[in-house]
């Protein structure tokens, strides 16, 4: 399988990054993490990236005059310089402005079954609280191509989990994260094999994997 040159965008605890790193180590993820781009110099994720000896570069909003447009152009310039094949948001919390040449080359994972429970403010535990408040019987995660809005790009794949009556938001978050750890790498591998195509927002995966 061809190895993708990956950039991972992180803001938080870096669990997704750690999962990628482990799976690359066991050859279950066909990628090489060329750059970790982080918008939070105090994040646990950045410490993990350093521990994993991954090349990290900080692009904070503060460095960019609080302009997400400026921040995006810095990020995509780094990706271009480094011949990045795929940018994976891995717990990234800033909006991006994606240049045309990177359309369908930026992925995100969201901890709900989009288009439900996505959008501004729907991150972290808020998502799972909202799912439980609505009395949903299933939840899950969604991998999608990113566009210039929150959680709104073409959906690539989803994985569902059951919601139990006794669930706390933390219980549900943990169950969804187990599904995330399996789904995201599978999608990245499918991308590496050139099996993912997009037509008018509709994504097709050739020889769809089992989840
Ligand atoms: C997960 O909930 C994921 O769906 C969202 O960020 C969280 C993971 O963040 N995109 P991290 O990898 O623990 O920083």
């Amino acid at each position: 399988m061809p190895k993708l040159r990956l950039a991972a965008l992180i803001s938080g605890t870096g669990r997704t990054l750690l999962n990628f790193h482990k799976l690359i180590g066991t050859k279950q993820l066909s990628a090489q993490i060329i750059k970790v781009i982080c918008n939070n110099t105090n994040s646990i994720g950045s410490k993990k990236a350093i521990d994993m000896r991954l090349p990290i570069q900080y692009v904070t909003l503060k460095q960019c005059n609080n302009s997400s447009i400026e921040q995006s152009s810095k990020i995509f310039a780094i990706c271009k310089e480094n011949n990045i094949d795929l940018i994976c948001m891995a717990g990234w919390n800033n909006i991006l402005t994606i240049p045309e040449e990177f359309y369908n080359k930026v992925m995100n994972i969201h901890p709900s079954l989009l288009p439900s429970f996505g959008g501004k403010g729907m991150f972290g535990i808020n998502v799972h609280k909202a799912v439980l408040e609505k009395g949903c019987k299933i939840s899950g995660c969604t991998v999608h191509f990113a566009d210039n809005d929150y959680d709104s790009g073409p959906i690539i794949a989803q994985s569902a989990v059951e919601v139990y009556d006794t669930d706390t938001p933390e219980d549900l978050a943990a169950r969804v994260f187990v599904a995330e750890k399996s789904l995201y790498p599978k999608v990245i591998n499918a991308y590496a094999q050139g099996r993912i195509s997009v037509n008018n927002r509709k994504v097709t995966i050739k020889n769809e994997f089992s989840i």
Side-chain angles (χ1 to χ4, degrees):
M1 214 193 291
K3 260 196 182 178
L4 286 178
R5 293 176 64 81
L6 212 81
L9 268 48
I10 67 164
S11 310
T13 59
R15 292 170 306 157
T16 310
L17 181 67
L18 182 62
N19 183 45
F20 289 171
H21 183 67
K22 282 184 179 163
L23 294 178
I24 288 170
T26 56
K27 302 199 186 318
Q28 288 166 281
L29 179 60
S30 188
Q32 194 187 346
I33 300 169
I34 303 295
K35 279 274 171 201
V36 175
I37 298 173
C38 180
N39 64 358
N40 180 352
T41 50
N42 290 318
S43 58
I44 299 173
S46 62
K47 291 182 182 68
K48 280 188 190 155
I50 294 163
D51 286 348
M52 290 181 253
R53 299 177 190 280
L54 293 172
I56 185 162
Q57 196 155 343
Y58 297 97
V59 184
T60 67
L61 268 175
K62 208 169 156 197
Q63 289 165 358
C64 302
N65 305 305
N66 275 321
S67 156
S68 66
I69 294 181
E70 205 175 311
Q71 185 189 35
S72 293
S73 69
K74 276 204 177 134
I75 291 169
F76 288 103
I78 294 168
C79 292
K80 219 178 152 179
E81 270 163 33
N82 288 279
N83 297 315
I84 296 299
D85 300 312
L86 180 68
I87 301 169
C88 287
M89 292 169 152
W92 174 258
N93 63 8
N94 287 148
I95 198 91
L96 289 179
T97 303
I98 303 171
E100 216 172 310
E101 63 186 300
F102 280 97
Y103 283 179
N104 299 330
K105 288 185 172 184
V106 184
M107 280 182 194
N108 182 38
I109 188 157
H110 183 76
S112 77
L113 296 174
L114 291 174
S116 295
F117 306 105
K120 202 162 193 256
M122 275 294 164
F123 60 87
I125 209 71
N126 296 350
V127 177
H128 308 290
K129 277 185 185 159
V131 167
L132 292 179
E133 272 162 23
K134 285 286 181 194
C136 296
K137 303 303 177 202
I138 58 165
S139 188
C141 56
T142 304
V143 178
H144 64 94
F145 284 116
D147 63 10
N148 297 340
D149 208 345
Y150 288 104
D151 311 317
S152 78
I155 291 173
I156 306 169
Q158 297 183 299
S159 176
V161 303
E162 274 189 87
V163 178
Y164 301 120
D165 292 344
T166 52
D167 272 348
T168 62
E170 290 74 18
D171 294 333
L172 182 55
R175 195 173 310 118
V176 169
F177 194 69
V178 172
E180 290 189 32
K181 287 204 292 183
S182 159
L183 185 69
Y184 210 174
K186 282 181 183 166
V187 173
I188 296 169
N189 282 337
Y191 188 91
Q193 293 168 328
R195 291 194 285 120
I196 299 184
S197 54
V198 192
N199 190 359
N200 284 333
R201 278 195 66 101
K202 203 161 169 234
V203 177
T204 311
I205 307 178
K206 229 189 269 168
N207 308 326
E208 184 109 29
F209 44 79
S210 59
I211 293 162

